[in-house]
Amino acid sequence: MEWRKNQGFIIVNQITVGGAEFVLGVHEKNPNSFVTWQCKGKDDYFWGHYFTNLLAAQKDFCRRALDEIKAVEVMKKPPKTNER
């Protein structure tokens, strides 16, 4: 895996759901500083959530991905028909 960095954070985990990518980063100089971002094109990071606890950051990382999975499932679900 190629190492990626953004704003001093090393990206240590990533997941792609549909067209959305979510990443988890740890600060290269402050090992007690973590972030999750949504990302486009491997270099456009936005909607950062910042943490001082790795477990909280991992939980947020998973929650963001699961929320996106649910959204994708809703979009792909066939519409209900009004059968009588």
Side-chain angles (χ1 to χ4, degrees):
M1 178 178 130
E2 178 182 318
W3 287 103
R4 293 162 46 192
K5 284 191 345 183
N6 185 54
Q7 298 178 3
F9 287 86
I10 298 168
I11 306 305
V12 295
N13 209 338
Q14 67 84 29
I15 187 168
T16 301
V17 178
E21 179 185 23
F22 300 92
V23 299
L24 171 65
V26 61
H27 198 276
E28 62 187 334
K29 294 183 181 173
N30 181 358
N32 292 317
S33 185
F34 308 92
V35 65
T36 66
W37 280 298
Q38 189 166 347
C39 182
K40 287 184 185 175
K42 305 281 187 206
D43 63 359
D44 181 11
Y45 300 89
F46 54 97
W47 290 335
H49 300 175
Y50 295 85
F51 302 89
T52 56
N53 175 287
L54 176 58
L55 190 57
Q58 289 171 322
K59 185 177 177 180
D60 183 70
F61 174 74
C62 292
R63 183 179 296 125
R64 292 178 84 166
L66 284 171
D67 287 348
E68 187 67 20
I69 288 169
K70 290 174 186 175
V72 169
E73 286 177 333
V74 167
M75 289 188 310
K76 291 188 176 199
K77 187 182 264 188
K80 290 184 180 180
T81 60
N82 291 334
E83 295 180 19
R84 294 182 183 209

